[in-house]
Amino acid sequence: DTAVSQTPKYLVTQMGNDKSIKCEQNLGHDTMYWYKQDSKKFLKIMFSYNNKELIINETVPNRFSPKSPDKAHLNLHINSLELGDSAVYFCASSPWTSGSTYEQYFGPGTRLTVT
Amino acid sequence: QQQVKQSPQSLIVQKGGISIINCAYENTAFDYFPWYQQFPGKGPALLIAIRPDVSEKKEGRFTISFNKSAKQFSLHIMDSQPGDSATYFCAARREGNEKLTFGTGTRLTIIP
């Protein structure tokens, strides 16, 4: 059973287009995240939702808009794509707890290439 | 501002050797320090984690050493195997905040 799944795995599109990436988790977690991993492998958080409520919103262009229809899904919509948006985007989830274990479960990633 | 500094950027170790990756942090409010392992084409996965109330944590061949006064922590991989070849990320989390701040990653290659 896939814990955190993302679609699509690969996305190639032209500058100026609008695209969406979908994420679903079947772990029963309350918190979901979007990360961007650039060509140098640097991982940076973009957004975090807890029970459909936005709790972390890093300095990300307004062209990026997350949407959480329910706590098992967190989608990422990107408007007016730019070359610099090319990266691997990871969705992750975690339980909402400050207990002794705090693990974020990552999806397999979506490689976005903007031409 | 890079709050978690990781070194080296890349590391080549012979099979059976010890791999050591170091991280340093600035924010003394960090209270949770995980290490993630990422294989090519996959998402990162939690490998081992430590809280600052202990100086060492061991799980199999993987050990975290933690030095609170120096604000440093390191990952040691004993008896390194080719299957350990991956990118390793240290991270830190501030108490009461769900955000993980990642280091810049270390690409580890284990050669036969």
Side-chain angles (χ1 to χ4, degrees), chain A:
Chain A
D1 279 347
T2 303
V4 181
S5 59
Q6 294 178 229
T7 54
K9 186 161 177 65
Y10 300 97
L11 186 53
V12 181
T13 188
Q14 290 186 324
M15 283 176 54
N17 286 348
D18 303 339
K19 290 293 178 186
S20 292
I21 306 172
K22 296 186 176 182
C23 177
E24 176 180 2
Q25 54 96 2
N26 63 6
L27 297 166
H29 291 163
D30 294 308
T31 309
M32 296 184 72
Y33 312 79
W34 277 110
Y35 285 88
K36 179 180 180 180
Q37 186 170 49
D38 62 23
S39 58
K40 295 184 178 179
K41 298 285 190 181
F42 187 60
L43 262 173
K44 192 173 189 322
I45 190 167
M46 301 172 68
F47 303 101
S48 174
Y49 269 73
N50 176 253
N51 224 350
K52 302 195 298 175
E53 181 182 343
L54 182 65
I55 56 171
I56 295 175
N57 185 351
E58 293 294 290
T59 308
V60 176
N62 290 339
R63 300 181 294 104
F64 290 79
S65 54
K67 284 188 171 52
S68 181
D70 55 63
K71 75 174 192 178
H73 295 84
L74 180 62
N75 304 323
L76 182 65
H77 189 76
I78 315 170
N79 290 327
S80 303
L81 279 154
E82 300 178 357
L83 292 176
D85 298 331
S86 295
V88 181
Y89 292 84
F90 286 100
C91 176
S93 73
S94 70
W96 180 255
T97 175
S98 57
S100 59
T101 60
Y102 176 85
E103 179 173 358
Q104 289 189 14
Y105 293 78
F106 283 77
T110 295
R111 181 175 292 276
L112 172 65
T113 303
V114 182
T115 61

Side-chain angles (χ1 to χ4, degrees), chain B residues 54-71:
Chain B
V54 296
S55 60
E56 185 175 283
K57 183 172 181 180
K58 184 175 180 179
E59 289 184 3
R61 296 183 295 107
F62 301 91
T63 300
I64 300 179
S65 296
F66 187 83
N67 186 329
K68 189 174 181 178
S69 60
K71 294 188 285 186

